Amino acid sequence: MKIAHISDLHFGAHDPAVLEALMAHLIEAGPHLVIASGDITQSATEAEFAAARAFFDALPIEVFVIPGNHDLPGMDLTRFLNPFGRYRRHLIDELNPELAAGPVHIKGINTARRILPHWNWANGAVSAKQRREIARTFEAASAPWRILVLHHPLMSPKEFPLDVAVFNKRPLLETISEQRIDIVLAGHQHHAYIETRQEEAHKTLFVSASTGMSTRLRRQPQGFNLLEFTDTTLRIDQLRYADGRFTTFEALTHVKPAVSG
């Protein structure tokens, strides 16, 4: 099974040429599923969400999407009274979606918040209710691979380009370990990297994607990830945009350890 992981599209602050290249590459690569890990829009306007809806509808591929902090309106009453109303109307009503398909079981959680006990409301948070929902999901899962999708990353590379805080990160990492989650997909930083966390016999890969097509670049060009699964192996291709197309700049192969006991 092949999955494309895109993130931080930022419709409203996107490069139309990169959009066309991303669309063409996704159609040519033919993944079974596209996972979009938040910040679909730049300012959460009706026009931006409509453009995102048109993009997803033009893909002949199922799309699994969660919100990011940019998918909430700015400092107006809508942010506080109905923060995800536009997102739900144009994209999907469920903010914490779930999907079981072939060798993967996927759970998405919404880490974006209308307000936080911190000066930077762009940071993320996970609730106790969401952690319980994650546990229930994977306690019942039978697929070989367990994937968690969230917008805000939990692990960061050494060349960390953006300060990110996720409230209740520690108990979420405990839940990830307890439920033996294999892959955690995220975005937010506009920086592609893979970090690992080893807990006894289980290893979790934390995979972040760069911005898919935004003009808001940091230290990397636009990019996305392609993940290809068998029941026991995973190959991750990290792609970057240059000269009008996306090409692989790094690849990783991971073999799923056998579960003892």
Side-chain angles (χ1 to χ4, degrees):
M1 182 178 188
K2 187 187 294 184
I3 295 175
H5 170 215
I6 63 177
S7 196
D8 297 82
L9 304 179
H10 288 282
F11 275 95
H14 67 283
D15 185 324
V18 183
L19 182 156
E20 293 298 326
L22 178 62
M23 173 76 74
H25 197 109
L26 290 174
I27 292 173
E28 182 180 358
H32 301 88
L33 178 71
V34 171
I35 294 177
S37 57
D39 277 5
I40 310 304
T41 65
Q42 173 63 20
S43 302
T45 66
E46 296 281 358
E48 290 169 358
F49 277 119
R53 179 73 271 166
F55 175 79
F56 291 147
D57 286 346
L59 288 172
I61 308 159
E62 183 177 1
V63 178
F64 181 100
V65 61
I66 59 164
N69 51 283
H70 275 267
D71 298 318
L72 288 89
M75 295 303 293
D76 59 34
L77 282 177
T78 305
R79 182 182 183 97
F80 301 98
L81 298 178
N82 191 16
F84 294 102
R86 295 169 191 166
Y87 176 94
R88 284 178 154 141
R89 185 162 59 253
H90 287 278
L91 298 184
I92 183 175
D93 186 59
E94 179 57 64
L95 301 180
N96 300 280
E98 180 179 348
L99 176 67
V104 301
H105 199 120
I106 307 166
K107 177 63 181 173
I109 60 169
N110 172 28
T111 54
R113 297 293 186 265
R114 73 184 84 183
I115 188 171
L116 285 170
H118 188 273
W119 68 268
N120 187 357
W121 292 358
N123 288 330
V126 61
S127 68
K129 179 180 178 181
Q130 287 175 311
R131 296 196 307 273
R132 290 193 296 271
E133 189 173 341
I134 292 167
R136 284 195 298 270
T137 293
F138 291 113
E139 283 168 359
S142 58
W145 295 93
R146 300 176 172 203
I147 303 174
L148 179 66
V149 184
L150 64 165
H151 179 63
H152 296 86
L154 301 176
M155 306 289 283
S156 296
K158 294 177 181 178
E159 65 274 20
F160 189 39
L162 178 68
D163 184 20
V164 175
V166 178
F167 288 84
N168 298 320
K169 168 184 170 179
R170 187 178 299 277
L172 177 55
L173 287 171
E174 291 174 358
T175 300
I176 289 169
S177 175
E178 290 166 359
Q179 297 305 318
R180 302 177 70 85
I181 293 171
D182 299 290
I183 315 291
V184 179
L185 300 179
H188 187 64
Q189 295 166 305
H190 299 198
H191 194 84
Y193 59 92
I194 301 172
E195 294 290 327
T196 61
R197 180 180 172 92
Q198 185 78 40
E199 294 286 340
E200 297 180 352
H202 188 73
K203 179 185 288 186
T204 300
L205 301 182
F206 293 79
V207 181
S208 282
S210 182
T211 171
M213 57 183 170
S214 171
T215 58
R216 304 175 72 246
L217 302 179
R218 296 197 172 99
R219 298 183 184 178
Q220 292 181 349
Q222 296 92 344
F224 70 101
N225 301 318
L226 276 175
L227 296 82
E228 191 158 5
F229 295 87
T230 70
D231 284 353
T232 58
T233 64
L234 164 64
R235 176 186 167 98
I236 304 174
D237 282 75
Q238 296 179 291
L239 294 92
R240 285 180 177 172
Y241 179 78
D243 301 322
R245 63 195 183 100
F246 286 90
T247 56
T248 298
F249 73 92
E250 195 166 333
L252 175 148
T253 300
H254 172 66
V255 178
K256 184 176 175 65
V259 178
S260 59

